[in-house]
Amino acid sequence: MLKDITLGQYYPVDSILHKLDPRTKLFGTMVFIISLFIANDIWAYVIATVFLAAAIKLSNVPLKFMVRGLKAIVFLLLISVSFNLFLTPGTAVVSLGFLKITKEGIIVAGFMGIRLIYLVVGSSIMTLTTTPNQLTDGLEKSLDFLNRFRVPVHEVSMMMSIALRFIPILVEETDKIMKAQMARGADFETGNLIQKAKNMIPLLVPLFISAFRRATDLAMAMEARCYRGGEGRTKMKPLKYGNQDRVTYLIYFLYLAIIIGLRILRVQSF
Amino acid sequence: MVIKAEHINYIYGKGTAFEQHALKDVNLEIESGEFVGLIGHTGSGKSTLIQHLNGLLRATDGKLYYNGRNIYEEGYDMRALRSHVGLVFQYPEHQLFEIDVFTDVCFGPKNQGLNKEAAAKRAKEALTMVGLDESYYKRSPFELSGGQKRRVAIAGVLAMNPDVLILDEPTAGLDPKGRDEILDQIKRLHEERNMTIILVSHSMEDVARYVDRILVMNQGEKVFDDTPKEVFQHYKELEAMGLAAPEITYVVQTLKSHGVPIDTSITTIEEARDEIIRLLGK
């Protein structure tokens, strides 16, 4: 029922990507996102596609699983694509009354759609191949320098890792409560919007109560183990870059250089 | 028979790394008015199985009949099925949400389409059945004790007036007194209203004392389906599945192995007492 949420979900298989240092993957995702915004040329997109396809292949995660994450943004995708499609000025291809589809519109909308899809798929590769704990470890280490500006990096990343850890728990809990209420005749599917919102009360009240209960329990358990924040805290498995990480970074720079190069070439050719 | 399952298979997360074959070719028949115990180790598929019985989960493969009708048939009314087959989940107190006990118990009957008066009447009956009097009606369900909350939640399902009642570990986390009270009330429902009851439990003592028939699940398969006396004869196999027979089974089996001519099909302390007195009297 609620198994479609792939965001923040780890997919436990063995692959080269799973073994990489989380910082490498974080950086790679960033590079990929930046590259998508630099790319403005069909060739750049071809290269981005190859890069993404290679990452998917190497991750050993079934494509089906990544595409599922797209369901969450279908609405956003439709809006941004149709806005670009209808509202970009230029030479009209089809016109329906006051609406007209322009040649420029089709190109912009197409790139926009691809960009959004790649953004989601690209970042889900990271979350699917990295456990939430590794991810926050990586973030904490990468943002270490912010400590000097009195930003509580450790605390923020601890909160993040707890939040991420709680996603599957709460999904499971929601599923359970939903079933329990359905067994009592509750209906979550039919009715208009207001009716549907009202029908959510038997789900949301127990869910909030259980979230608070879990939060108190967790706080208690952390205190019982003497958690006092990040100061002076050491790690059992400190992050360390290996050879494969170095190679990966090299690939990133190569990739980014090509994308930037293509953009410069394109600008010059105009 | 009320419920009949034919070759039920269920696979979680089919086609992903999380794939799990939770039920393997399960066949079972439950007659009207039976009191059945369902036991199995954690992860043996018993919770998955009971969610099939009221249509919350749909079998990947297989057929399920309720009163002779296939529930996977096109157009079968699942909501109606759910009011005939009441399911009390584990820790049912986690599903309470209303401002007071009475309104919460009314939720089920109202969903069945009853008007306010009829729902109130059902709620009253159900709360009386679980032993909660009028002084509780206007209290918030969240300020009650664990055992009371659980009784309110069970009343919430009883108020729907089901023909079959399935309870998933109704005594988990309760103290011995709360446990006995709840089990005795379930027993009374069975006797007085002739309700068909399926009790999922870890406790062999509870199961041996109350049920007429035991189903044992192991790794998604039904391994035993017989009277408690017969099932507990296989106590060695039960142990291998991470289960155990009631303590008393071990006592009589040990006596037997020491040459005492005791009847080994004994499952409760009372029976053992009588048998030992009989043997001593000889």
Side-chain angles (χ1 to χ4, degrees), chain A residues 17-41:
Chain A
L17 286 195
H18 283 73
K19 283 197 201 103
L20 282 180
D21 189 287
R23 285 169 292 173
T24 317
K25 284 182 269 190
L26 271 168
F27 187 74
T29 313
M30 220 167 67
V31 165
F32 185 65
I33 290 172
I34 292 170
S35 78
L36 285 179
F37 286 96
I38 295 173
N40 62 347
D41 166 73

Side-chain angles (χ1 to χ4, degrees), chain A residues 9-13 62 64-65 68 173 177 179-187 201-202 205-206 209 213, chain B residues 14-18 51 54 56-57 79 82 85 87 89 94-97 104-105 107-108 111 142 156-157 160:
Chain A
Q9 199 179 12
Y10 177 64
Y11 194 87
V13 284
K64 204 172 74 188
F65 220 80
R68 258 192 233 172
E173 191 89 15
I177 297 169
K179 277 182 179 162
Q181 305 297 27
M182 275 163 76
R184 296 169 76 192
D187 182 5
I201 295 173
V205 173
I209 292 171
R213 190 182 54 236
Chain B
K14 200 170 183 177
T16 69
F18 306 108
Q51 287 178 37
N54 74 345
L56 282 174
L57 288 179
R79 282 183 76 191
R82 283 174 202 147
V85 183
L87 174 56
F89 275 85
H94 293 173
Q95 77 196 27
L96 302 174
F97 68 98
D104 203 286
V105 177
F107 180 67
N111 284 330
F142 303 110
V157 175
M160 297 177 73

Side-chain angles (χ1 to χ4, degrees), chain A:
Chain A
M1 213 174 292
L2 288 160
K3 303 282 182 261
D4 295 338
I5 301 169
T6 48
L7 198 73
Q9 199 179 12
Y10 177 64
Y11 194 87
V13 284
D14 196 28
S15 81
I16 303 172
L17 286 195
H18 283 73
K19 283 197 201 103
L20 282 180
D21 189 287
R23 285 169 292 173
T24 317
K25 284 182 269 190
L26 271 168
F27 187 74
T29 313
M30 220 167 67
V31 165
F32 185 65
I33 290 172
I34 292 170
S35 78
L36 285 179
F37 286 96
I38 295 173
N40 62 347
D41 166 73
I42 189 89
W43 288 110
Y45 276 100
V46 168
I47 288 166
T49 310
V50 170
F51 186 74
L52 189 65
I56 292 173
K57 183 88 189 112
L58 287 175
S59 73
N60 272 347
V61 179
L63 184 65
K64 204 172 74 188
F65 220 80
M66 293 183 188
V67 178
R68 258 192 233 172
L70 286 176
K71 272 190 195 164
I73 62 146
V74 165
F75 195 61
L76 182 76
L77 196 66
L78 279 179
I79 288 184
S80 46
V81 167
S82 45
F83 264 70
N84 278 303
L85 197 59
F86 290 116
L87 299 178
T88 313
T91 43
V93 182
V94 188
S95 53
L96 304 148
F98 66 97
L99 288 173
K100 58 177 198 286
I101 297 173
T102 61
K103 194 177 150 217
E104 287 80 359
I106 293 173
I107 295 170
V108 173
F111 278 159
M112 184 61 122
I114 291 173
R115 200 177 273 171
L116 272 173
I117 292 170
Y118 281 16
L119 262 175
V120 171
V121 174
S123 24
S124 33
I125 293 178
M126 178 180 68
T127 50
L128 284 166
T129 59
T130 321
T131 63
N133 276 339
Q134 282 180 325
L135 203 61
T136 37
D137 259 12
L139 261 182
E140 194 182 339
K141 192 96 193 236
S142 313
L143 299 176
D144 231 3
F145 65 94
L146 284 175
N147 266 325
R148 260 178 277 158
F149 307 104
R150 294 180 175 274
V151 178
V153 175
H154 169 79
E155 279 71 15
V156 172
S157 68
M158 179 58 93
M159 280 191 258
M160 229 185 82
S161 75
I162 291 173
L164 282 174
R165 181 64 194 89
F166 264 55
I167 291 173
I169 293 178
L170 288 178
V171 168
E172 207 174 291
E173 191 89 15
T174 312
D175 196 53
K176 232 166 41 189
I177 297 169
M178 222 164 164
K179 277 182 179 162
Q181 305 297 27
M182 275 163 76
R184 296 169 76 192
D187 182 5
F188 296 108
E189 274 126 31
T190 53
N192 58 27
L193 202 64
I194 297 170
Q195 201 62 45
K196 265 188 185 162
K198 262 191 180 164
N199 290 347
M200 290 309 255
I201 295 173
L203 175 64
L204 291 178
V205 173
L207 191 62
F208 269 97
I209 292 171
S210 109
F212 280 116
R213 190 182 54 236
R214 281 179 191 282
T216 345
D217 286 354
L218 182 64
M220 196 79 91
M222 283 169 84
E223 288 216 324
R225 288 193 274 172
C226 306
Y227 177 77
R228 317 175 44 213
E231 214 171 311
R233 198 166 184 240
T234 53
K235 291 230 182 312
M236 191 165 86
K237 290 178 192 157
L239 292 176
K240 245 167 129 183
Y241 281 126
N243 270 333
Q244 72 246 38
D245 294 300
R246 287 180 202 111
V247 174
T248 315
Y249 271 105
L250 213 67
I251 297 171
Y252 291 160
F253 286 118
L254 213 67
Y255 167 72
L256 201 59
I258 294 173
I259 298 279
I260 294 173
L262 276 171
R263 190 184 168 100
I264 293 168
L265 278 176
R266 173 133 176 122
V267 169
Q268 278 174 350
S269 68
F270 267 117

